[in-house]
Amino acid sequence: MSSDAIKQTISQNVEPWDWENPPMPPTDLIFDDGEPLESNRHRIAMNVLIRSLQQAWGDRNDFFTGGNMFVYYNSAQARNRDFRGPDFFAVLDVDGTISRQGWVVWDEGGRYPDVIVELMSPSTAEVDTTTKKDIYERVFKTRNYFVFDPFNPASLQGWQLNGNLRYQSIAPDERGFLWCQTLGFWLGTWQGTVDRETAVWLRFYDNSGNLVLLPEEAAQAKVEEERQQAEQEKQRAEQEKQRAEQE
């Protein structure tokens, strides 16, 4: 969406949904405008974040994570159909087993995304770091917001709501990673191949600095662990056999 369209969205929709005197919510919501992501790398980068968080919290049903989905937050904005959802977002303390075509705030008890990541490009960087950032701070009150250009490894920035409900920049650690307090993970870069594309990807890391794995990486790690265990068992059996022969 163009910068002018987003600015018009803010001017028309500065305030969130009015829960005391709400108008009738629209029922003809659109959840797919047919516009692709900026590039295949942007698509992979989005899925890396979604799938790795789902893998990390595979035993939990109290969160929802999605990307490239519309977020509807008031009736005027919905009628205008002029706001495209974040590239990645996560909402905590909600029923994660419900199938959703998009995120409709008035159907979710007034819940907004708790964490948002926008995957920038040269054509969207200014909007992502100004206009959208303003929406997420003032309207959504999203606790953690990050931006990253998949083609620029040095582009990672992040903000956290402070006590005055204003965004404060998150200082990177010595690795250049940013702490996402809401999720309890670091956001940092990782170079490798995902879906046959080699690049520097934005990834989650746990508090100990371990990479949060994708499902296929976790499966491969499990196979490798089982192989090592089998090898160790084989070595122990050989050692026992040698001791018995010596005796």
Side-chain angles (χ1 to χ4, degrees), residues 1-3 6 38 42 83-87 116-137 145-150 155 157 159 167:
M1 182 178 66
S2 68
S3 175
I6 296 180
E38 292 285 334
H42 282 77
F83 182 70
R84 187 172 179 82
D87 293 320
I116 288 176
V117 178
E118 291 288 4
L119 299 170
M120 300 186 297
S121 68
S123 63
T124 68
E126 182 178 357
V127 171
D128 290 336
T129 55
T130 56
T131 310
K132 281 190 176 181
K133 177 171 168 279
D134 194 43
I135 293 175
Y136 300 152
E137 177 190 53
Y145 175 48
F146 301 90
V147 294
F148 179 73
D149 183 344
S155 62
Q157 299 179 69
W159 299 268
Y167 274 149

Side-chain angles (χ1 to χ4, degrees), residues 194-212:
V194 182
D195 290 351
R196 298 186 298 178
E197 181 155 352
T198 302
V200 176
W201 304 101
L202 185 64
R203 300 288 300 264
F204 291 117
Y205 292 81
D206 66 20
N207 199 28
S208 300
N210 301 308
L211 182 69
V212 175

Side-chain angles (χ1 to χ4, degrees), residues 45-117:
M46 176 189 73
N47 288 330
V48 163
L49 294 174
I50 294 171
R51 296 173 64 239
S52 60
L53 184 61
Q54 290 173 338
Q55 170 67 28
W57 290 351
D59 58 344
R60 295 175 52 174
N61 290 321
D62 63 343
F63 75 100
F64 177 81
T65 180
N68 198 28
M69 297 169 61
F70 284 100
V71 175
Y72 285 107
Y73 56 94
N74 69 27
S75 57
Q77 171 259 339
R79 286 194 301 271
N80 294 335
R81 298 183 177 126
D82 57 2
F83 182 70
R84 187 172 179 82
D87 293 320
F88 166 88
F89 68 94
V91 191
L92 308 184
D93 302 318
V94 296
D95 186 352
T97 65
I98 298 175
S99 178
R100 298 169 169 93
Q101 291 182 282
W103 190 262
V104 184
V105 169
W106 54 86
D107 287 338
E108 302 287 352
R111 291 301 312 278
Y112 289 83
D114 292 301
V115 176
I116 288 176
V117 178

